[in-house]
Amino acid sequence: MNTKEYVEKVYNEVLKRNSGEDEFHQAVKEVLHSLIPVFEKHPEYVENGILERIVEPERQFIFRIPWVDDNGQVRVNRGFRVQFNNAIGPYKGGLRFHPTVNLSIIKFLGFEQILKNSLTGLPIGGGKGGSDFDPKDKSDREIMRFCQNFMTELYKYIGQDMDVPAGDIGVGGREIGYLFGQYKKLKSSYEAGVLTGKGLNYGGSLVRTEATGYGLVYFVDEMLKGKGISLQGKKVVVSGSGNVAIYAIEKLQELGAKVVACSDSNGYIYDENGINLDTVKRIKEVERKRIKEYVKYHKEAKYYEGCRSIWTIPCDIALPCATQNEINDEDAKGLIKNGVIAVGEGANMPSTLGAVDAFLKNGVLFAPAKAANAGGVAVSALEMSQNSIRYSWSFEEVDEKLKNIMKNIYDNSVKCAKEYGYEDNYVIGANIAGFLKVADAMMMQGIV
């Protein structure tokens, strides 16, 4: 059996064991096929079953979460935590609260997290969790009650040296606070390192809020500079208007780029004069309203229902920062036709396999999620470090560490892509760079 047949055999086993989990299948397929040259060079990974083990979660938990809404009605949601791989450190990955959450999505995110966390160079393994609870239009008290009941089950499986969750879609500082308060009550101890994304006054880190968006722009900037291109004056479209999108826009504007569009799940705004970030922050972070409110403050801007057509806007750089598979094959072709030169993934797996293939075949610089959006988990790990030493670094110190981490991720991706014969393919480069560290650790620790 040659290496390609071996990889295909493992992938078919994943399909058989995890039927119906399309998102998980997609994530595994993208990674496995890029690792074929690694197995040709390192047959010892095949002999020790590294691939068969890395695609199977070490543990996965599904649990019921009953809670009572403000009208006294009993509601029931489903909770998940998948602990995928802890070869290089405790499981680390966010919690997502969104009605689309299911086991497939949590597993795809957890699998991606293994390599993403490895790429940061920090000692953290891969995991992910969440619930199909929808925080939208819920009162603070309802969200508090849900978070408390969620943690009443989750606390059994996490710990600062075991599994350290953080936030994700639908889980911000408010939710992390409620979750931490309940964990503290259940454990009768103050274990600050059990959750990251905490408030600054109880163990959180500066730059954590900005980290994913800033890190994305740092990576894209390095990618462009590697080709002698500047961000200055570039026209950018950013999907989403949550945490990642907002702080990507902030850093882009700081570096001289012009962001003309952003979106939410209902539609998108286009402002040819450049997005006013203060307005977006007020709408999304303070008022918690829909992005269409933007046009009330800026009459020259336009709002369009439906978020997918945001990719029809001509731009130099596209940053998908909303959700998985938001750019399909046709969207990619449209972006290419309109002259896009670079795409940076701020969300997790926002481009379909066909879209990625189209970008790469047409010479578009493409920054894959597991490399480009690793800034969030990197600063989460820095938060863990600060909790361990009972000390806080300044904003400038953390930001500089983040910038260096993103540069190292870029450099290692470039190095591995070139070494294995795929120069300028940052998808393959990032997959290989992340995989090698985890695989070597697994080899050293035996078959466990």
Side-chain angles (χ1 to χ4, degrees), residues 269-287:
I269 53 169
Y270 174 73
D271 189 340
E272 63 179 8
N273 295 323
I275 294 295
N276 186 302
L277 189 58
D278 289 337
T279 303
V280 174
K281 282 185 176 182
R282 181 166 71 250
I283 292 167
K284 287 297 182 178
E285 296 183 332
V286 179
E287 299 172 356

Side-chain angles (χ1 to χ4, degrees), residues 174-233:
R174 172 182 56 176
E175 290 77 16
I176 291 293
Y178 294 148
L179 291 165
F180 183 71
Q182 185 71 356
Y183 181 88
K184 188 161 57 79
K185 178 180 179 181
L186 292 165
K187 294 286 286 186
S188 296
S189 65
Y190 198 98
E191 301 173 21
V194 71
L195 286 167
T196 56
K198 300 183 296 296
L200 293 176
N201 55 357
Y202 67 99
S205 174
L206 290 162
V207 194
R208 179 59 191 91
T209 302
E210 298 88 349
T212 308
Y214 277 20
L216 168 63
V217 177
Y218 290 149
F219 187 97
V220 170
D221 190 35
E222 288 294 329
M223 184 173 69
L224 291 171
K225 286 192 294 189
K227 298 299 177 185
I229 303 170
S230 171
L231 261 176
Q232 184 75 33

Side-chain angles (χ1 to χ4, degrees), residues 24-46:
F24 180 51
H25 299 162
Q26 180 182 339
V28 171
K29 182 177 183 180
E30 184 264 312
V31 170
L32 262 57
H33 286 82
S34 67
L35 296 177
I36 289 174
V38 174
F39 297 119
E40 290 173 346
K41 190 173 182 178
H42 296 282
E44 64 272 20
Y45 294 153
V46 177

Side-chain angles (χ1 to χ4, degrees), residues 145-193:
R145 287 193 290 272
F146 173 81
C147 288
Q148 289 171 340
N149 288 331
F150 181 84
M151 182 54 79
T152 297
E153 183 66 25
L154 182 68
Y155 92 99
K156 305 169 188 175
Y157 314 118
I158 64 175
Q160 56 190 4
D161 296 315
M162 182 196 315
D163 184 353
V164 183
D168 193 77
I169 293 173
V171 179
R174 172 182 56 176
E175 290 77 16
I176 291 293
Y178 294 148
L179 291 165
F180 183 71
Q182 185 71 356
Y183 181 88
K184 188 161 57 79
K185 178 180 179 181
L186 292 165
K187 294 286 286 186
S188 296
S189 65
Y190 198 98
E191 301 173 21

